[in-house]
Amino acid sequence: MKIICTNDYDKMSERAAEIVLKAIAKKKCLLGLATGSTPVGMYERLTRLYREGRADFRHVQSVNLDEYISLPPSHEQSYRYFMQSHLFDHINIDPKNTHLPSGTASPEAECRRYEDLLKSLGRIDLQVLGLGHNGHIGFNEPGEIFVKETHIVDLTESTILANARFFSRPEEVPRRAITMGIRSIMQARTVLVLVSGRGKAEIVKRAFTGDVTPRVPASVLQLHPNVILIGDKEALSEL
Ligand code: GLP
């Protein structure tokens, strides 16, 4: 694993954007994308690089990790809305090449559709990941096993609480989500993990130096041959 420690959030975002830029410079690129507050700065920089004529997304396909069950794309807290407003609406990616699970389709059928889609697209070239406070990646929550395929998740209370900050009332946070499974993440050629702030320091330590266990889903990344962990010094302070 390669660890890049930066002074602050801005530098973390800049370094992450540089890595994405390199990946998309290839003729064809399948990007795995993440939501959450951590990658927002990276998306801002990618948008700027595009405006400056230094990034070209014409040959990029993207697959996102997850989506809340029940939220339509028009809902401001849906991950489709997040991706449109933070990135897709500002760059030259073909809308047909941007993929997320649908929050409004029948969840079981949607899991099958998304898993088939992931299989048909092949290995992800660069998978961007944030890290939940309980070690979740995408919405792969702590559990007894690593779930390989796209699946429905009952969000844990801690995740619901953590994400309640984005909703006007905690009761509005959906209780379920669809997430990409561990297999697609582990098959990615490169995994780029972004972490920022003191609040992530403890889980960063557990995930990257503790036991590999489905109780800390991100710990599985210790078995991946090509992980880049970029964090500001607060988030990496316990390593
Ligand atoms: C959400 C997302 C994850 C994200 C995590 C951390 O639950 N499903 O993909 O990594 O939150 O979010 P943040 O970056 O806001 O700490």
Side-chain angles (χ1 to χ4, degrees), residues 25 57 82 94 97 102 104 124 142 184 189 224 234 238:
F57 293 82
F82 175 104
D94 183 339
N97 290 342
S102 159
T104 51
I124 293 167
S184 298
R189 291 177 214 282
H224 191 285
E234 282 83 22
E238 298 279 325

Side-chain angles (χ1 to χ4, degrees), residues 35-38 66 79 130-132 136 138-139 159 163 165 200:
T35 54
S37 53
T38 312
D66 45 14
Y79 286 166
L131 183 62
H136 73 233
F139 268 137
T159 298
N163 291 352
R165 69 189 194 274
K200 292 283 168 78

Side-chain angles (χ1 to χ4, degrees), residues 140-177:
N140 288 277
E141 292 276 41
E144 297 304 312
I145 53 161
F146 291 113
V147 184
K148 283 192 291 191
E149 301 199 327
T150 304
H151 58 284
I152 299 170
V153 209
D154 289 318
L155 301 178
T156 62
E157 273 312 308
S158 71
T159 298
I160 292 167
L161 267 179
N163 291 352
R165 69 189 194 274
F166 300 114
F167 291 78
S168 33
R169 286 176 308 141
E171 307 81 74
E172 286 174 15
V173 187
R175 266 38 193 171
R176 296 198 304 161

Side-chain angles (χ1 to χ4, degrees), residues 131-136 195-211 213 215-219 222 229 231-239:
L131 183 62
H133 287 98
N134 60 4
H136 73 233
V195 286
S196 170
R198 188 72 189 81
K200 292 283 168 78
E202 188 55 40
I203 192 60
V204 167
K205 181 179 167 197
R206 279 177 69 204
F208 294 102
T209 66
D211 289 343
T213 163
R215 294 184 187 283
V216 184
S219 65
Q222 293 181 42
L229 171 65
D232 55 29
K233 50 183 194 247
E234 282 83 22
L236 301 185
S237 58
E238 298 279 325
L239 276 191

